[in-house]
Amino acid sequence: MAKISPKNVTAQFSYRAAGNPPSTLPQGAISNFFPGLEFDLRSLWKHIFEGIELHESGLVSGGHQVLAVTPGSPGDIAGVRPLFRLLSVDGRPVESRGMSDQGPMPERFAMEFFNSLADAVQKAGQPVRCVFRNPQNNATVNADLVVQPIFEGVAFSKKLLEAGSMTQGLCSPWQADYRECGCYYWAASRPDYINVQVVAGQARGHNWMQRNRGPADDYLPDAPQDPRQFNYNDLYTNWEHVLTFVVGGKETE
């Protein structure tokens, strides 16, 4: 009998093992990778090229930095050093120019590696031309670096991820991100504007994070440092009491 060789190995991520709740499936995940709630996929890209370690996060000047270079590796021989920034891979830039209503902005923003390296990962085992910039003098350095494979069988490659790598960078605990993201991220599970009543065509209600939410209290713009609102410590130590249930836009208890 011929050996079965699976082609769509990532499909196994959608397999729900007996006993696991629905939240263990990828489609049930919040998928906040940075700082991360379930896992931090930035770890996957740190060692995507043999011989160098990359740091993905950061925007204009902080993203795509080299953290370490293996002595004697192709990157080391080419002159790549820690704190150099990765500019392009295989002819494709890994950053893009910001846009505004007035047109292109002068700043260039580091793109997520999920976007910028999507083509490069298809060349696992092959060298690709990587261009780095020396922040000290803006000189560029070219290095032909081998792309490491993402998968090893049906699991992530051990060359890319050591045990625990996917969770070591998570925000801890989740309350920090929940408080900090305000009205911009947790739309499904973090109500912002509650107890809303419309009187004479005007809406009036409360910020879910403000301490006083009586009939005479007006809405407070979200500000974690405002003493009139719940802060990080409140959520760390007493979240089950300060975060009331909101049903139909109204507090229930």
Side-chain angles (χ1 to χ4, degrees), residues 21-241:
S23 59
T24 58
L25 297 175
Q27 59 266 37
I30 296 173
S31 299
N32 182 341
F33 294 160
F34 176 53
L37 296 173
E38 298 103 347
F39 40 77
D40 187 355
L41 278 179
R42 293 175 306 163
S43 299
L44 188 67
W45 305 108
K46 290 179 67 175
H47 303 285
I48 189 66
F49 300 113
E50 288 187 4
I52 67 168
E53 181 178 343
L54 291 169
H55 181 58
E56 174 184 332
S57 67
L59 293 175
V60 180
S61 60
H64 302 172
Q65 284 188 333
V66 176
L67 296 182
V69 183
T70 302
S73 66
D76 181 45
I77 295 172
V80 180
R81 297 292 179 264
L83 300 184
F84 279 24
R85 291 194 66 207
L86 180 63
L87 298 181
S88 68
V89 174
D90 204 23
R92 294 178 179 271
V94 296
E95 57 183 19
S96 63
R97 189 176 298 280
M99 296 294 292
S100 69
D101 293 340
Q102 289 69 44
M105 300 166 60
E107 297 90 354
R108 298 186 68 86
F109 293 86
M111 298 170 61
E112 291 182 339
F113 280 154
F114 259 109
N115 297 313
S116 56
L117 298 183
D119 289 334
V121 298
Q122 307 302 319
K123 297 185 176 181
Q126 304 176 39
V128 294
R129 173 60 56 90
C130 298
V131 180
F132 298 85
R133 174 182 290 145
N134 182 343
Q136 299 297 323
N137 55 19
N138 286 327
T140 57
V141 173
N142 298 331
D144 295 324
L145 305 179
V146 174
V147 180
Q148 305 240 50
I150 296 288
F151 292 103
E152 186 176 303
V154 295
F156 287 127
S157 170
K158 294 179 181 178
K159 289 185 176 180
L160 294 184
L161 294 167
E162 297 178 345
S165 296
M166 291 288 278
T167 55
Q168 66 182 3
L170 301 186
C171 58
S172 178
W174 57 266
Q175 285 92 333
D177 194 64
Y178 202 66
R179 183 65 188 91
E180 191 162 316
C181 286
C183 301
Y184 311 109
Y185 198 86
W186 292 73
S189 57
R190 187 190 187 286
D192 300 305
Y193 194 30
I194 63 172
N195 303 329
V196 179
Q197 294 182 332
V198 179
V199 178
Q202 292 189 335
R204 190 166 183 264
H206 302 125
N207 185 330
W208 195 38
M209 291 290 166
Q210 67 185 75
R211 296 180 187 277
N212 298 319
R213 299 188 293 273
D217 298 308
D218 289 325
Y219 177 87
L220 296 175
D222 196 55
Q225 307 306 323
D226 187 336
R228 297 173 296 174
Q229 301 180 28
F230 299 124
N231 56 35
Y232 298 106
N233 191 56
D234 291 324
L235 298 191
Y236 293 150
T237 61
N238 201 27
W239 67 268
E240 68 272 31
H241 294 113

